[in-house]
Amino acid sequence: MQQKITKAVIPAAGLGTRFLPATKAMPKEMMPIVDKPAIQYIIEEAVASGITDILIITGRGKRAIEDHFDRSYELEAELQKKGNADIIRELNRISSLASIHYIRQGKPLGLGHAILKAREHVGNEPFAVFLGDDLVKSEEPCMKKMMEIFSRTGFPVVAVSPVEKSEIPKYGIVKARQEGSELIIEDMVEKPAAEKAPSNLAILGRYILTPDIFGILEKTKPGANGEINLTDALRTLGRKKKIYGYRVEGKWMTVGDRMSYLKTVVEYALDRKDVGPEFLSYLRQRIK
Ligand code: G1P
């Protein structure tokens, strides 16, 4: 039986330059998908997978994230006066989702550098990583399925999903082989040219890491985009131990750029019981 994973790390220090001007004064993690910020979907997935402790790596201008997961007594008092008990319950639910901690990244030196900031908090335990741009819509939470692989094997797990050739240079791409029912990651490369990529299987923002990653991250030199990449550190780790892949079931949606964001909003909106049907008939009218 492997150690249970209770801690998650969410890097959220990026500047969100692809969403300016919206992100000039608001963190991109707070971009709403219908009426919930993107990061809340991620934290809900973490909690539904059994995570109880979350460390968010933030930076300048990210105060709104802390405020969102905190109690807002003024707002509650105001809603109380108006008799909005349901909304108060929902707000309290959000602030009690998990024990959430914050640390600042300081210099934005890349995803690998952000993860390294979690070292003290995580200690000597395996932990989960969720990237703020990636949402996974599935019946069972994606991270829960990854935890099943970890508890069976005790090795790091990376979530992967196929992408179009034109999308390959945006992602970490893996070389993998099937071993019975398990997917074994043999190698990986960060943001390769499509012609040089080892496959079309992209790493998406869900990882289960073992604490030996920290020592490797410390020694990892800047790679693609001049950043310290988690993919490069995992590649080194993969030479020492097995890394398993999890083929994502369900829909991988991203909020990393405008077009994907729009698609994600439509996808979530159409599935909502309260606004979905009316929104669908509006869209039908609109494209007539
Ligand atoms: C990061 C990772 C990359 C991964 C991607 C998933 O890239 O470095 O390996 O495929 O997230 O969203 P970023 O989106 O930060 O450029």
Side-chain angles (χ1 to χ4, degrees), residues 57-84:
I57 319 284
T58 67
R60 213 167 259 286
K62 302 282 180 169
R63 272 277 302 282
I65 300 179
E66 294 185 36
D67 287 342
H68 182 72
F69 293 105
D70 194 5
R71 292 284 290 266
S72 170
Y73 292 99
E74 304 92 313
L75 189 58
E76 280 175 39
E78 198 54 36
L79 292 166
Q80 199 94 47
K81 266 193 251 159
K82 293 187 174 143
N84 283 335

Side-chain angles (χ1 to χ4, degrees), residues 18 28 111 131 133-134 170-173 189-191 202-207 225 227 229-231 252 254:
R18 277 178 286 197
K28 72 167 179 176
L111 176 59
L131 302 189
D133 282 353
D134 299 298
K170 282 168 52 180
Y171 297 106
I173 303 291
V189 48
E190 181 68 9
K191 304 192 171 75
I203 300 175
L204 62 96
R206 300 290 183 275
Y207 309 78
N225 292 347
E227 297 186 342
N229 291 304
L230 178 58
T231 306
W252 167 26
T254 88

Side-chain angles (χ1 to χ4, degrees), residues 19-280:
F19 278 108
L20 284 168
T23 48
K24 188 176 173 210
M26 177 188 79
K28 72 167 179 176
E29 293 77 14
M30 292 299 292
M31 299 269 290
I33 313 294
V34 188
D35 52 9
K36 241 195 253 183
I39 194 167
Q40 189 180 330
Y41 288 90
I42 288 167
I43 290 190
E44 286 178 357
E45 180 193 324
V47 171
S49 306
I51 297 289
T52 51
D53 179 297
I54 295 169
L55 178 69
I56 305 183
I57 319 284
T58 67
R60 213 167 259 286
K62 302 282 180 169
R63 272 277 302 282
I65 300 179
E66 294 185 36
D67 287 342
H68 182 72
F69 293 105
D70 194 5
R71 292 284 290 266
S72 170
Y73 292 99
E74 304 92 313
L75 189 58
E76 280 175 39
E78 198 54 36
L79 292 166
Q80 199 94 47
K81 266 193 251 159
K82 293 187 174 143
N84 283 335
D86 285 355
I87 305 184
I88 297 177
R89 228 173 287 126
E90 171 63 9
L91 292 179
N92 289 344
R93 186 186 69 85
I94 297 166
S95 50
S96 64
L97 279 174
S99 155
I100 305 183
H101 311 266
Y102 302 89
I103 188 171
R104 286 200 176 208
Q105 185 178 358
K107 282 190 192 161
L109 299 180
L111 176 59
H113 175 254
I115 302 290
L116 190 52
K117 289 277 163 184
R119 188 179 205 164
E120 259 185 61
H121 186 88
V122 165
N124 198 28
E125 291 176 32
F127 62 103
V129 173
F130 295 75
L131 302 189
D133 282 353
D134 299 298
L135 303 183
V136 183
K137 245 167 136 246
S138 53
E139 270 184 25
E140 270 203 80
C142 174
M143 186 53 76
K144 193 164 171 228
K145 303 290 268 184
M146 294 171 72
M147 284 180 179
E148 286 167 16
I149 300 177
F150 179 78
S151 66
R152 231 179 15 245
T153 65
F155 288 108
V157 188
V158 173
V160 294
S161 189
V163 292
E164 297 292 333
K165 199 170 173 205
S166 59
E167 300 270 288
I168 284 177
K170 282 168 52 180
Y171 297 106
I173 303 291
V174 303
K175 180 175 178 222
R177 79 182 134 82
Q178 202 68 37
E179 212 178 77
S181 59
E182 309 283 10
L183 186 70
I184 309 292
I185 307 292
E186 294 182 325
D187 202 359
M188 58 186 90
V189 48
E190 181 68 9
K191 304 192 171 75
E195 305 71 46
K196 291 200 174 145
S199 76
N200 69 337
L201 274 185
I203 300 175
L204 62 96
R206 300 290 183 275
Y207 309 78
I208 290 177
L209 302 177
T210 44
D212 43 356
I213 195 74
F214 293 123
I216 296 174
L217 278 170
E218 220 171 30
K219 298 196 192 95
T220 302
K221 301 251 154 32
N225 292 347
E227 297 186 342
I228 298 172
N229 291 304
L230 178 58
T231 306
D232 295 341
L234 269 171
R235 189 174 198 211
T236 309
L237 186 65
R239 290 197 203 106
K240 298 185 182 143
K241 55 158 68 167
K242 259 184 169 173
I243 296 180
Y244 283 76
Y246 166 65
R247 259 180 231 274
V248 167
E249 294 156 39
K251 240 186 206 159
W252 167 26
M253 307 293 306
T254 88
V255 292
D257 58 73
R258 290 183 178 89
M259 189 48 67
S260 325
Y261 172 73
L262 286 173
K263 289 178 187 167
T264 303
V265 172
V266 170
E267 187 71 32
Y268 278 83
L270 289 176
D271 275 359
R272 283 265 298 248
K273 286 199 184 76
D274 53 351
V275 294
E278 191 180 336
F279 185 47
L280 179 62

